[in-house]
Amino acid sequence: MTNSVRRSNGLRGVTSKRKRKRINDNFGDKVDFLVEREKLPEDLAPVLRKLHDYRNETYHRDQHRVEVIRPAVLIYFDAACTVLDHYEPGVLIGDGRLGPELARFQDSFPSRQNPSRSPTVLRSS
């Protein structure tokens, strides 16, 4: 584990508001957090940081390294495949109600039914 990645003292599930803000505001802190939580392999962290630096040059400073674009895209593709390979879907906890963004597409919400047995009915626009 790198020096920049710090483990909490037994409070692995607790993230302070200050740290959450840093994670939200800084890509490197996001990467460190995911490595710390073993959601990303450690050896991928410097690759993601460097690719993010190239991205920032292009998007924020309008600097284009033409000779780097193709290799960077190929490395990004490999990194994305690695991230997806390590992805573990989480569990969403809710009260079973759809928010208004999704509810408008359904006539009714079948509660806890097997989706293969009861097809979702969509309203036509």
Side-chain angles (χ1 to χ4, degrees):
M1 187 117 337
T2 63
N3 291 337
S4 63
V5 177
R6 297 180 191 109
R7 292 194 180 268
S8 304
N9 295 327
L11 299 174
R12 189 172 163 93
V14 177
T15 305
S16 72
K17 185 176 181 179
R18 186 170 147 193
K19 184 172 181 176
R20 285 193 313 268
K21 179 162 177 29
R22 280 196 336 261
I23 291 167
N24 190 50
D25 294 344
N26 184 290
F27 184 79
D29 287 331
K30 283 181 182 76
V31 170
D32 288 344
F33 181 77
L34 293 170
V35 169
E36 177 184 305
R37 299 293 170 121
E38 298 176 358
K39 300 298 181 187
L40 283 179
E42 187 175 350
D43 58 349
L44 190 59
V47 174
L48 292 175
R49 281 191 207 93
K50 189 56 160 176
L51 289 170
H52 192 72
D53 289 344
Y54 288 138
R55 174 225 175 252
N56 284 345
E57 285 180 7
T58 301
Y59 287 108
H60 298 300
R61 295 187 290 278
D62 202 23
Q63 296 175 350
H64 305 277
R65 297 186 192 193
V66 177
E67 71 282 0
V68 173
I69 292 173
R70 181 173 165 65
V73 167
L74 295 172
I75 294 168
Y76 253 129
F77 178 77
D78 186 67
C81 291
T82 301
V83 169
L84 289 172
D85 188 43
H86 285 82
Y87 175 70
E88 295 175 17
V91 177
L92 296 176
I93 299 171
D95 61 6
R97 293 181 291 165
L98 287 178
E101 302 84 2
L102 295 176
R104 67 188 177 102
F105 295 109
Q106 286 191 318
D107 289 329
S108 65
F109 180 65
S111 60
R112 308 218 189 271
Q113 293 179 5
N114 183 337
S116 64
R117 290 189 188 163
S118 61
T120 303
V121 179
L122 299 177
R123 279 190 237 165
S124 59
S125 302

